[in-house]
Amino acid sequence: MSIEVNNESGHEVDEAEFAALGRYVLDALHVHPQSELSVLFVDSTTMADLHVQWMDEPGPTDVLSFPMDELRPGREGEDLAPGTLGDIVLCPEVAAKQARTAGHSTAEELLLLTVHGILHLLGYDHAEPEEEKEMFALQRRLLLTFLANR
């Protein structure tokens, strides 16, 4: 599993922990072990530019996902092809505000957003109530089991 984590945000980020989380989630969802994922932390100005460019929405957002090879989760024993999952872009400044509102740390919010972004890369969505229920339950389970095992 190749997971590249880069921090261009100016905020302190434990890059090794985010790489470990990415590995954990992709392993748990049976994504081919030779697949690639990129995680990038950016400042709010960069995120606002990306948000306008790709979503036609003003201002910075917390996370954006850019799928590449449209990989999907597999099942144990299934022979999947390797590929490039895509890129997740996170904004610690936005995450910090959300974390204060939610009553937890910025690091915890960024871990949650990383799982959220990976699930989007794997085709999960939350546009419809049933999709949201499935995605958010899986997101919570993956994050809690990662945190319990670290």
Side-chain angles (χ1 to χ4, degrees):
M1 192 74 56
S2 172
I3 300 177
E4 183 177 328
V5 180
N6 291 300
N7 184 8
E8 300 174 1
S9 70
H11 286 75
E12 187 175 323
V13 172
D14 182 351
E15 295 176 21
E17 182 168 43
F18 287 91
L21 174 61
R23 247 180 244 99
Y24 176 81
V25 170
L26 296 179
D27 285 345
L29 296 176
H30 306 289
V31 174
H32 194 283
Q34 292 178 337
S35 296
E36 299 175 18
L37 169 66
S38 172
V39 179
L40 176 63
F41 296 89
V42 298
D43 61 34
S44 60
T45 302
T46 302
M47 184 58 100
D49 291 345
L50 290 170
H51 201 206
V52 167
Q53 180 181 357
W54 296 101
M55 304 299 290
D56 203 23
E57 296 283 337
T61 189
D62 51 4
V63 61
L64 289 171
S65 298
F66 299 97
M68 296 291 283
D69 290 340
E70 296 186 13
L71 301 180
R72 295 297 179 251
R75 289 189 276 293
E76 194 166 342
E78 187 176 24
D79 190 23
L80 297 173
T84 301
L85 189 57
D87 304 318
I88 300 169
V89 182
L90 299 135
C91 184
E93 289 175 66
V94 174
K97 292 174 188 170
Q98 292 175 179
R100 280 191 296 277
T101 301
H104 54 247
S105 72
T106 301
E108 291 170 320
E109 184 73 12
L110 286 167
L111 290 168
L112 172 73
L113 293 170
T114 300
V115 175
H116 188 86
I118 292 170
L119 291 178
H120 274 305
L121 292 178
L122 289 169
Y124 289 90
D125 202 357
H126 47 87
E128 300 296 326
E130 279 303 308
E131 292 174 334
E132 180 178 334
K133 183 178 177 182
E134 176 187 8
M135 181 178 178
F136 284 39
L138 179 57
Q139 173 181 291
R140 178 177 168 76
R141 181 178 57 80
L142 289 166
L143 182 57
L144 289 176
T145 53
F146 171 77
L147 293 173
N149 292 317
R150 69 175 176 171

